[in-house]
Amino acid sequence: MEDAIQLYRTLLGNRAYLRSLCEGAAFLAASAIAIFASVTYATVHASNYVTDFVLSRVGPFNVRFLFIYGTFAAFAITVSMLAWRPNRLPFALKVTALFLLVRAVFVALTHMAPSPIDPQKAAPFFNSIFYGSDLFFSGHTGLPFLAALAFWHIPQWRMFYLALTGFFGSVVLLGHYHYSIDVLAALFITHGVFQISCWLFGRDYALFRSSENLVAPRPKRASRKTLVPADGRGKRAPKSFVLHVVGDEAMPGGQSKADLNHPNG
């Protein structure tokens, strides 16, 4: 908890970080407007539904609870992870915004009606958010996979989001909320979006990964002497908080090359 508070103090005093954070928020807002407009357009101009190799043999099943509330649960977990380490926020905002913008383009180009689903209707509020003709490609499959790629360097979260990708991919097929091509294509398009984001927002991605040095695993054969301070009281000596961007070499005095090159940082 103390590390998170100190990290907030460090980053909120950095003008470059605040500028990048505002850019990400503005980009995300613009992409949200774009995806809303494209979904509305595709829903109004939707044609007939088509047959599908998988959907013709499976379902539809009533998985509305998992489809809706599973989304809210995954969103809450992800937001908590980002809020816990604010260095992750700029890249997370920008890569999500690029994902939504790319999906808005595909949705606007594809006006296919969804496959018939369970006749039960969701509440009007949920119906306006989760149900429409925004089929290609599946956001429920793409976004967890995007998170898995972003957290690839943390094995437990990588496995969690890969499992979540498979879970939502299965849910949207069982409920006939997407065609199988929507789910399959989402993996390839999302990987492309992530690679483009790493190229466009390289410094933000380096900052995204920079906090993991604070929770680096302890060596398996660490000497007991390294765990006891010189005074012999049996307590671990506190470490000063230093945030390094991945790829920077530590300089004397707790500075990094990025700190020397950017005096405002």
Side-chain angles (χ1 to χ4, degrees), residues 144-168:
F145 188 57
L146 184 65
L149 294 173
F151 287 102
W152 201 265
H153 57 294
I154 308 178
Q156 59 269 30
W157 288 113
R158 176 180 66 205
M159 296 306 299
F160 170 76
Y161 281 110
L162 286 177
L164 207 60
T165 302
F167 169 77
F168 279 116

PDB file of all heavy atoms in Angstrom, residues 144-168:
ATOM      1  N   PRO A 144     -10.042  -9.171 -23.345  1.00  0.00           N
ATOM      2  CA  PRO A 144      -9.250  -9.998 -22.420  1.00  0.00           C
ATOM      3  C   PRO A 144      -7.936 -10.465 -23.024  1.00  0.00           C
ATOM      4  O   PRO A 144      -6.916 -10.542 -22.326  1.00  0.00           O
ATOM      5  CB  PRO A 144     -10.181 -11.188 -22.127  1.00  0.00           C
ATOM      6  CG  PRO A 144     -11.539 -10.699 -22.434  1.00  0.00           C
ATOM      7  CD  PRO A 144     -11.385  -9.736 -23.571  1.00  0.00           C
ATOM      8  N   PHE A 145      -7.940 -10.752 -24.326  1.00  0.00           N
ATOM      9  CA  PHE A 145      -6.695 -11.168 -24.975  1.00  0.00           C
ATOM     10  C   PHE A 145      -5.708 -10.006 -25.033  1.00  0.00           C
ATOM     11  O   PHE A 145      -4.496 -10.200 -24.885  1.00  0.00           O
ATOM     12  CB  PHE A 145      -6.992 -11.686 -26.379  1.00  0.00           C
ATOM     13  CG  PHE A 145      -5.800 -12.305 -27.054  1.00  0.00           C
ATOM     14  CD1 PHE A 145      -5.127 -13.363 -26.475  1.00  0.00           C
ATOM     15  CD2 PHE A 145      -5.357 -11.831 -28.274  1.00  0.00           C
ATOM     16  CE1 PHE A 145      -4.023 -13.936 -27.089  1.00  0.00           C
ATOM     17  CE2 PHE A 145      -4.261 -12.389 -28.904  1.00  0.00           C
ATOM     18  CZ  PHE A 145      -3.586 -13.452 -28.306  1.00  0.00           C
ATOM     19  N   LEU A 146      -6.216  -8.798 -25.216  1.00  0.00           N
ATOM     20  CA  LEU A 146      -5.363  -7.613 -25.189  1.00  0.00           C
ATOM     21  C   LEU A 146      -4.723  -7.452 -23.812  1.00  0.00           C
ATOM     22  O   LEU A 146      -3.526  -7.125 -23.695  1.00  0.00           O
ATOM     23  CB  LEU A 146      -6.187  -6.376 -25.540  1.00  0.00           C
ATOM     24  CG  LEU A 146      -5.441  -5.049 -25.651  1.00  0.00           C
ATOM     25  CD1 LEU A 146      -4.451  -5.085 -26.807  1.00  0.00           C
ATOM     26  CD2 LEU A 146      -6.423  -3.901 -25.844  1.00  0.00           C
ATOM     27  N   ALA A 147      -5.500  -7.679 -22.759  1.00  0.00           N
ATOM     28  CA  ALA A 147      -4.953  -7.612 -21.399  1.00  0.00           C
ATOM     29  C   ALA A 147      -3.913  -8.704 -21.170  1.00  0.00           C
ATOM     30  O   ALA A 147      -2.895  -8.477 -20.502  1.00  0.00           O
ATOM     31  CB  ALA A 147      -6.084  -7.726 -20.379  1.00  0.00           C
ATOM     32  N   ALA A 148      -4.152  -9.896 -21.725  1.00  0.00           N
ATOM     33  CA  ALA A 148      -3.176 -10.981 -21.584  1.00  0.00           C
ATOM     34  C   ALA A 148      -1.850 -10.610 -22.236  1.00  0.00           C
ATOM     35  O   ALA A 148      -0.769 -10.882 -21.691  1.00  0.00           O
ATOM     36  CB  ALA A 148      -3.731 -12.263 -22.199  1.00  0.00           C
ATOM     37  N   LEU A 149      -1.908  -9.980 -23.393  1.00  0.00           N
ATOM     38  CA  LEU A 149      -0.680  -9.552 -24.069  1.00  0.00           C
ATOM     39  C   LEU A 149       0.034  -8.460 -23.273  1.00  0.00           C
ATOM     40  O   LEU A 149       1.268  -8.456 -23.171  1.00  0.00           O
ATOM     41  CB  LEU A 149      -1.015  -9.049 -25.473  1.00  0.00           C
ATOM     42  CG  LEU A 149      -1.557 -10.087 -26.455  1.00  0.00           C
ATOM     43  CD1 LEU A 149      -2.000  -9.417 -27.751  1.00  0.00           C
ATOM     44  CD2 LEU A 149      -0.522 -11.165 -26.747  1.00  0.00           C
ATOM     45  N   ALA A 150      -0.728  -7.536 -22.706  1.00  0.00           N
ATOM     46  CA  ALA A 150      -0.125  -6.453 -21.939  1.00  0.00           C
ATOM     47  C   ALA A 150       0.526  -6.976 -20.662  1.00  0.00           C
ATOM     48  O   ALA A 150       1.590  -6.491 -20.248  1.00  0.00           O
ATOM     49  CB  ALA A 150      -1.175  -5.395 -21.610  1.00  0.00           C
ATOM     50  N   PHE A 151      -0.095  -7.964 -20.011  1.00  0.00           N
ATOM     51  CA  PHE A 151       0.428  -8.523 -18.763  1.00  0.00           C
ATOM     52  C   PHE A 151       1.196  -9.820 -19.005  1.00  0.00           C
ATOM     53  O   PHE A 151       1.300 -10.645 -18.091  1.00  0.00           O
ATOM     54  CB  PHE A 151      -0.714  -8.779 -17.781  1.00  0.00           C
ATOM     55  CG  PHE A 151      -1.297  -7.534 -17.179  1.00  0.00           C
ATOM     56  CD1 PHE A 151      -2.507  -7.028 -17.642  1.00  0.00           C
ATOM     57  CD2 PHE A 151      -0.649  -6.861 -16.163  1.00  0.00           C
ATOM     58  CE1 PHE A 151      -3.049  -5.877 -17.098  1.00  0.00           C
ATOM     59  CE2 PHE A 151      -1.184  -5.710 -15.605  1.00  0.00           C
ATOM     60  CZ  PHE A 151      -2.389  -5.209 -16.072  1.00  0.00           C
ATOM     61  N   TRP A 152       1.710  -9.981 -20.192  1.00  0.00           N
ATOM     62  CA  TRP A 152       2.395 -11.232 -20.539  1.00  0.00           C
ATOM     63  C   TRP A 152       3.604 -11.494 -19.640  1.00  0.00           C
ATOM     64  O   TRP A 152       3.998 -12.632 -19.421  1.00  0.00           O
ATOM     65  CB  TRP A 152       2.829 -11.200 -22.000  1.00  0.00           C
ATOM     66  CG  TRP A 152       3.076 -12.551 -22.566  1.00  0.00           C
ATOM     67  CD1 TRP A 152       4.272 -13.214 -22.670  1.00  0.00           C
ATOM     68  CD2 TRP A 152       2.098 -13.441 -23.135  1.00  0.00           C
ATOM     69  NE1 TRP A 152       4.100 -14.446 -23.268  1.00  0.00           N
ATOM     70  CE2 TRP A 152       2.771 -14.599 -23.562  1.00  0.00           C
ATOM     71  CE3 TRP A 152       0.713 -13.345 -23.330  1.00  0.00           C
ATOM     72  CZ2 TRP A 152       2.115 -15.668 -24.159  1.00  0.00           C
ATOM     73  CZ3 TRP A 152       0.054 -14.410 -23.934  1.00  0.00           C
ATOM     74  CH2 TRP A 152       0.752 -15.548 -24.342  1.00  0.00           C
ATOM     75  N   HIS A 153       4.213 -10.431 -19.118  1.00  0.00           N
ATOM     76  CA  HIS A 153       5.409 -10.569 -18.293  1.00  0.00           C
ATOM     77  C   HIS A 153       5.079 -10.981 -16.860  1.00  0.00           C
ATOM     78  O   HIS A 153       5.992 -11.213 -16.072  1.00  0.00           O
ATOM     79  CB  HIS A 153       6.183  -9.238 -18.271  1.00  0.00           C
ATOM     80  CG  HIS A 153       5.367  -8.081 -17.785  1.00  0.00           C
ATOM     81  ND1 HIS A 153       4.283  -7.583 -18.480  1.00  0.00           N
ATOM     82  CD2 HIS A 153       5.476  -7.311 -16.665  1.00  0.00           C
ATOM     83  CE1 HIS A 153       3.758  -6.567 -17.822  1.00  0.00           C
ATOM     84  NE2 HIS A 153       4.455  -6.380 -16.723  1.00  0.00           N
ATOM     85  N   ILE A 154       3.791 -11.065 -16.523  1.00  0.00           N
ATOM     86  CA  ILE A 154       3.373 -11.518 -15.196  1.00  0.00           C
ATOM     87  C   ILE A 154       2.601 -12.827 -15.390  1.00  0.00           C
ATOM     88  O   ILE A 154       1.438 -12.810 -15.792  1.00  0.00           O
ATOM     89  CB  ILE A 154       2.490 -10.477 -14.484  1.00  0.00           C
ATOM     90  CG1 ILE A 154       3.175  -9.111 -14.474  1.00  0.00           C
ATOM     91  CG2 ILE A 154       2.162 -10.925 -13.071  1.00  0.00           C
ATOM     92  CD1 ILE A 154       2.361  -8.015 -13.833  1.00  0.00           C
ATOM     93  N   PRO A 155       3.217 -13.976 -15.146  1.00  0.00           N
ATOM     94  CA  PRO A 155       2.618 -15.269 -15.526  1.00  0.00           C
ATOM     95  C   PRO A 155       1.209 -15.486 -14.995  1.00  0.00           C
ATOM     96  O   PRO A 155       0.336 -15.974 -15.717  1.00  0.00           O
ATOM     97  CB  PRO A 155       3.601 -16.303 -14.954  1.00  0.00           C
ATOM     98  CG  PRO A 155       4.902 -15.571 -14.885  1.00  0.00           C
ATOM     99  CD  PRO A 155       4.552 -14.149 -14.549  1.00  0.00           C
ATOM    100  N   GLN A 156       0.958 -15.141 -13.722  1.00  0.00           N
ATOM    101  CA  GLN A 156      -0.361 -15.435 -13.159  1.00  0.00           C
ATOM    102  C   GLN A 156      -1.464 -14.612 -13.832  1.00  0.00           C
ATOM    103  O   GLN A 156      -2.575 -15.119 -14.080  1.00  0.00           O
ATOM    104  CB  GLN A 156      -0.376 -15.204 -11.640  1.00  0.00           C
ATOM    105  CG  GLN A 156      -0.027 -13.796 -11.187  1.00  0.00           C
ATOM    106  CD  GLN A 156       1.450 -13.632 -10.926  1.00  0.00           C
ATOM    107  OE1 GLN A 156       2.265 -14.298 -11.557  1.00  0.00           O
ATOM    108  NE2 GLN A 156       1.802 -12.756  -9.991  1.00  0.00           N
ATOM    109  N   TRP A 157      -1.178 -13.355 -14.156  1.00  0.00           N
ATOM    110  CA  TRP A 157      -2.178 -12.531 -14.827  1.00  0.00           C
ATOM    111  C   TRP A 157      -2.293 -12.885 -16.311  1.00  0.00           C
ATOM    112  O   TRP A 157      -3.367 -12.777 -16.897  1.00  0.00           O
ATOM    113  CB  TRP A 157      -1.848 -11.054 -14.652  1.00  0.00           C
ATOM    114  CG  TRP A 157      -2.095 -10.587 -13.255  1.00  0.00           C
ATOM    115  CD1 TRP A 157      -1.172 -10.179 -12.344  1.00  0.00           C
ATOM    116  CD2 TRP A 157      -3.368 -10.520 -12.591  1.00  0.00           C
ATOM    117  NE1 TRP A 157      -1.785  -9.858 -11.148  1.00  0.00           N
ATOM    118  CE2 TRP A 157      -3.131 -10.057 -11.276  1.00  0.00           C
ATOM    119  CE3 TRP A 157      -4.674 -10.809 -12.984  1.00  0.00           C
ATOM    120  CZ2 TRP A 157      -4.164  -9.876 -10.361  1.00  0.00           C
ATOM    121  CZ3 TRP A 157      -5.695 -10.630 -12.063  1.00  0.00           C
ATOM    122  CH2 TRP A 157      -5.441 -10.170 -10.774  1.00  0.00           C
ATOM    123  N   ARG A 158      -1.200 -13.301 -16.884  1.00  0.00           N
ATOM    124  CA  ARG A 158      -1.266 -13.771 -18.271  1.00  0.00           C
ATOM    125  C   ARG A 158      -2.201 -14.970 -18.373  1.00  0.00           C
ATOM    126  O   ARG A 158      -3.071 -15.016 -19.248  1.00  0.00           O
ATOM    127  CB  ARG A 158       0.140 -14.160 -18.753  1.00  0.00           C
ATOM    128  CG  ARG A 158       0.173 -14.744 -20.158  1.00  0.00           C
ATOM    129  CD  ARG A 158       1.603 -15.103 -20.526  1.00  0.00           C
ATOM    130  NE  ARG A 158       2.098 -16.186 -19.670  1.00  0.00           N
ATOM    131  CZ  ARG A 158       3.386 -16.389 -19.405  1.00  0.00           C
ATOM    132  NH1 ARG A 158       4.304 -15.566 -19.887  1.00  0.00           N
ATOM    133  NH2 ARG A 158       3.752 -17.391 -18.652  1.00  0.00           N
ATOM    134  N   MET A 159      -2.062 -15.944 -17.470  1.00  0.00           N
ATOM    135  CA  MET A 159      -2.924 -17.117 -17.509  1.00  0.00           C
ATOM    136  C   MET A 159      -4.370 -16.757 -17.190  1.00  0.00           C
ATOM    137  O   MET A 159      -5.308 -17.318 -17.762  1.00  0.00           O
ATOM    138  CB  MET A 159      -2.406 -18.166 -16.527  1.00  0.00           C
ATOM    139  CG  MET A 159      -1.022 -18.708 -16.860  1.00  0.00           C
ATOM    140  SD  MET A 159      -0.920 -19.357 -18.554  1.00  0.00           S
ATOM    141  CE  MET A 159      -2.142 -20.669 -18.476  1.00  0.00           C
ATOM    142  N   PHE A 160      -4.558 -15.808 -16.256  1.00  0.00           N
ATOM    143  CA  PHE A 160      -5.913 -15.395 -15.905  1.00  0.00           C
ATOM    144  C   PHE A 160      -6.630 -14.797 -17.116  1.00  0.00           C
ATOM    145  O   PHE A 160      -7.786 -15.162 -17.413  1.00  0.00           O
ATOM    146  CB  PHE A 160      -5.856 -14.376 -14.768  1.00  0.00           C
ATOM    147  CG  PHE A 160      -7.182 -13.703 -14.491  1.00  0.00           C
ATOM    148  CD1 PHE A 160      -8.188 -14.370 -13.812  1.00  0.00           C
ATOM    149  CD2 PHE A 160      -7.416 -12.400 -14.915  1.00  0.00           C
ATOM    150  CE1 PHE A 160      -9.404 -13.761 -13.562  1.00  0.00           C
ATOM    151  CE2 PHE A 160      -8.627 -11.775 -14.657  1.00  0.00           C
ATOM    152  CZ  PHE A 160      -9.626 -12.456 -13.984  1.00  0.00           C
ATOM    153  N   TYR A 161      -5.972 -13.905 -17.830  1.00  0.00           N
ATOM    154  CA  TYR A 161      -6.635 -13.254 -18.964  1.00  0.00           C
ATOM    155  C   TYR A 161      -6.747 -14.178 -20.172  1.00  0.00           C
ATOM    156  O   TYR A 161      -7.684 -14.036 -20.978  1.00  0.00           O
ATOM    157  CB  TYR A 161      -5.901 -11.964 -19.328  1.00  0.00           C
ATOM    158  CG  TYR A 161      -6.245 -10.825 -18.407  1.00  0.00           C
ATOM    159  CD1 TYR A 161      -5.328 -10.327 -17.495  1.00  0.00           C
ATOM    160  CD2 TYR A 161      -7.513 -10.246 -18.420  1.00  0.00           C
ATOM    161  CE1 TYR A 161      -5.643  -9.288 -16.635  1.00  0.00           C
ATOM    162  CE2 TYR A 161      -7.844  -9.207 -17.569  1.00  0.00           C
ATOM    163  CZ  TYR A 161      -6.911  -8.738 -16.684  1.00  0.00           C
ATOM    164  OH  TYR A 161      -7.239  -7.714 -15.824  1.00  0.00           O
ATOM    165  N   LEU A 162      -5.828 -15.114 -20.320  1.00  0.00           N
ATOM    166  CA  LEU A 162      -6.001 -16.106 -21.388  1.00  0.00           C
ATOM    167  C   LEU A 162      -7.207 -16.998 -21.094  1.00  0.00           C
ATOM    168  O   LEU A 162      -7.979 -17.337 -22.004  1.00  0.00           O
ATOM    169  CB  LEU A 162      -4.731 -16.946 -21.529  1.00  0.00           C
ATOM    170  CG  LEU A 162      -3.534 -16.266 -22.187  1.00  0.00           C
ATOM    171  CD1 LEU A 162      -2.326 -17.200 -22.187  1.00  0.00           C
ATOM    172  CD2 LEU A 162      -3.871 -15.831 -23.614  1.00  0.00           C
ATOM    173  N   ALA A 163      -7.357 -17.386 -19.821  1.00  0.00           N
ATOM    174  CA  ALA A 163      -8.539 -18.163 -19.433  1.00  0.00           C
ATOM    175  C   ALA A 163      -9.809 -17.346 -19.638  1.00  0.00           C
ATOM    176  O   ALA A 163     -10.841 -17.868 -20.083  1.00  0.00           O
ATOM    177  CB  ALA A 163      -8.416 -18.618 -17.986  1.00  0.00           C
ATOM    178  N   LEU A 164      -9.737 -16.046 -19.328  1.00  0.00           N
ATOM    179  CA  LEU A 164     -10.894 -15.177 -19.522  1.00  0.00           C
ATOM    180  C   LEU A 164     -11.228 -15.039 -21.007  1.00  0.00           C
ATOM    181  O   LEU A 164     -12.402 -14.955 -21.385  1.00  0.00           O
ATOM    182  CB  LEU A 164     -10.598 -13.806 -18.909  1.00  0.00           C
ATOM    183  CG  LEU A 164     -11.804 -12.979 -18.427  1.00  0.00           C
ATOM    184  CD1 LEU A 164     -12.561 -13.727 -17.347  1.00  0.00           C
ATOM    185  CD2 LEU A 164     -11.329 -11.632 -17.901  1.00  0.00           C
ATOM    186  N   THR A 165     -10.206 -15.028 -21.850  1.00  0.00           N
ATOM    187  CA  THR A 165     -10.433 -14.979 -23.294  1.00  0.00           C
ATOM    188  C   THR A 165     -11.201 -16.208 -23.769  1.00  0.00           C
ATOM    189  O   THR A 165     -12.171 -16.106 -24.527  1.00  0.00           O
ATOM    190  CB  THR A 165      -9.092 -14.880 -24.036  1.00  0.00           C
ATOM    191  OG1 THR A 165      -8.383 -13.715 -23.607  1.00  0.00           O
ATOM    192  CG2 THR A 165      -9.307 -14.816 -25.536  1.00  0.00           C
ATOM    193  N   GLY A 166     -10.765 -17.380 -23.310  1.00  0.00           N
ATOM    194  CA  GLY A 166     -11.473 -18.603 -23.674  1.00  0.00           C
ATOM    195  C   GLY A 166     -12.880 -18.645 -23.107  1.00  0.00           C
ATOM    196  O   GLY A 166     -13.815 -19.127 -23.765  1.00  0.00           O
ATOM    197  N   PHE A 167     -13.049 -18.127 -21.891  1.00  0.00           N
ATOM    198  CA  PHE A 167     -14.364 -18.116 -21.256  1.00  0.00           C
ATOM    199  C   PHE A 167     -15.347 -17.261 -22.057  1.00  0.00           C
ATOM    200  O   PHE A 167     -16.446 -17.724 -22.409  1.00  0.00           O
ATOM    201  CB  PHE A 167     -14.231 -17.580 -19.829  1.00  0.00           C
ATOM    202  CG  PHE A 167     -15.544 -17.272 -19.164  1.00  0.00           C
ATOM    203  CD1 PHE A 167     -16.343 -18.287 -18.668  1.00  0.00           C
ATOM    204  CD2 PHE A 167     -15.985 -15.961 -19.030  1.00  0.00           C
ATOM    205  CE1 PHE A 167     -17.554 -18.013 -18.053  1.00  0.00           C
ATOM    206  CE2 PHE A 167     -17.185 -15.671 -18.416  1.00  0.00           C
ATOM    207  CZ  PHE A 167     -17.981 -16.695 -17.928  1.00  0.00           C
ATOM    208  N   PHE A 168     -14.979 -16.017 -22.347  1.00  0.00           N
ATOM    209  CA  PHE A 168     -15.897 -15.147 -23.076  1.00  0.00           C
ATOM    210  C   PHE A 168     -16.072 -15.586 -24.525  1.00  0.00           C
ATOM    211  O   PHE A 168     -17.152 -15.411 -25.095  1.00  0.00           O
ATOM    212  CB  PHE A 168     -15.406 -13.698 -23.025  1.00  0.00           C
ATOM    213  CG  PHE A 168     -15.749 -12.990 -21.750  1.00  0.00           C
ATOM    214  CD1 PHE A 168     -14.767 -12.546 -20.888  1.00  0.00           C
ATOM    215  CD2 PHE A 168     -17.077 -12.772 -21.398  1.00  0.00           C
ATOM    216  CE1 PHE A 168     -15.085 -11.898 -19.706  1.00  0.00           C
ATOM    217  CE2 PHE A 168     -17.410 -12.127 -20.218  1.00  0.00           C
ATOM    218  CZ  PHE A 168     -16.405 -11.689 -19.371  1.00  0.00           C
TER     219      PHE A 168
END
